[in-house]
Amino acid sequence: MATDRATVLVTGQLPSSALALLGDVDVRTVDGTTNRQAFLEAARGVDAMMTFVTDTVDAALLDAAGPALKIVANVAVGFDNIDVSATRPHGIVVTNTPDVLNGAVAELTWGLIFAIARRIGESDRLVRRGDWHGWAFDFMTGMELAGKTLGIIGKGRIGRDVARRAAAFDMRVVFGGREAGGEVDGHPVFAIDDVLAMADVVSLHVPGRPDTRHLIDARALDLMKPTAYLINTARGIVVDEAALVEALRTRRIAGAGLDVFEREPVVHPGLIGLDNVVLLPHIGSATVETRTAMAELAARNVAAVLAGRPPVTPV
Ligand code: GLV
């Protein structure tokens, strides 16, 4: 039976609290990531889409959707999965979920810092293998964080939340930006190359865009101290993974903690066998609280646009 209710396409499970915010709509669900053809077919005629970072939103999908589509609400702060320029001619609004995930990503960033600096992953594997033969004075020694320098690349909200937590661990914070000078929340801003050279822990907090692709390449890794660690909870393409494998293998840097990869879910095979890297499956925002807040914010964006109001968090 024909209905004048709007149709919202969702590409995976969302909490009921988020779906409730959509109001009186028809919800259509499809797995947008693994079955492209089904995604294109399910998109036909929808008024709104709620998508994840693993869903490719491009001109072909927008064409398949047709003229009713008013909003693509990404349930993520990053929107490198969306060809925003292709949405503009159609007047389609694109929204993301900034701020609500800052704390969760900052906490996971610190988790990776501890895990790599204190060799937690490596130690856990050793115990499970049955290779622990007793306490020893110089066994599994790592790097103490207190008194060391944390270099944050990027001056955005997540990096600032990571920096705020550094005080608890007595670390000095410096920020790295395209332009040196000034301060962020009382911490000095240096050129990225200078931060790479001075930091004991380098943490990446920039979006995944053509201009940040391989920001950390062999040259950048070469600038780092041999005792330093690289942390990436931003986007995989920011790091040249092949160059990182080489730097870790040759101990050009001490180690790395990675939550994101260049070709997710594929992990560079050279990383798998290395003990001086911690590998996580892109779980930066994966707390129940934050994922719920992200879905609810995305739903509020959809509800606003369908009601003819401005979106809450347009990109
Ligand atoms: C996750 O990676 C996000 O961008 O929210």
Side-chain angles (χ1 to χ4, degrees), residues 155-227:
K155 299 185 283 185
R157 292 165 287 223
I158 296 176
R160 289 167 57 188
D161 258 31
V162 173
R164 207 154 48 78
R165 288 157 171 78
F169 308 114
D170 291 332
M171 289 189 82
R172 165 185 179 236
V173 175
V174 295
F175 277 85
R178 296 268 186 210
E179 281 171 24
E183 291 188 343
V184 172
D185 299 337
H187 306 293
V189 180
F190 295 104
I192 291 174
D193 281 3
D194 293 333
V195 169
L196 292 171
M198 75 176 84
D200 299 290
V201 177
V202 173
S203 193
L204 304 174
H205 301 284
V206 292
R209 286 193 312 227
D211 62 330
T212 58
R213 183 173 181 276
H214 290 189
L215 180 70
I216 304 300
D217 55 8
R219 189 198 71 88
L221 291 162
D222 229 35
L223 293 172
M224 289 175 64
K225 297 182 189 179
T227 50

Side-chain angles (χ1 to χ4, degrees), residues 53 76-78 101 235 282 285 294:
V53 286
V77 66
L101 45 57
R235 280 292 183 270
H282 199 150
S285 64
M294 290 165 71

Side-chain angles (χ1 to χ4, degrees), residues 68-158:
L69 183 63
K70 294 166 200 62
I71 172 168
V72 177
N74 220 30
V75 190
V77 66
F79 48 91
D80 43 316
N81 58 309
I82 300 176
D83 181 350
V84 177
S85 63
T87 65
R88 299 298 190 212
H90 303 281
I92 297 166
V93 174
V94 178
T95 61
N96 66 342
T97 60
D99 287 326
V100 292
L101 45 57
N102 298 351
V105 179
E107 286 181 4
L108 192 86
T109 302
W110 279 100
L112 278 172
I113 294 172
F114 281 112
I116 190 63
R118 297 304 302 274
R119 305 173 67 174
I120 291 174
E122 188 185 350
S123 296
D124 179 81
R125 286 191 294 277
L126 174 136
V127 171
R128 289 173 197 271
R129 277 198 313 270
D131 280 346
W132 184 33
H133 306 300
W135 189 92
F137 180 71
D138 57 354
F139 179 55
M140 281 290 171
T141 50
M143 185 187 81
E144 189 125 353
L145 297 178
K148 301 293 193 313
T149 298
L150 171 64
I152 307 239
I153 308 294
K155 299 185 283 185
R157 292 165 287 223
I158 296 176

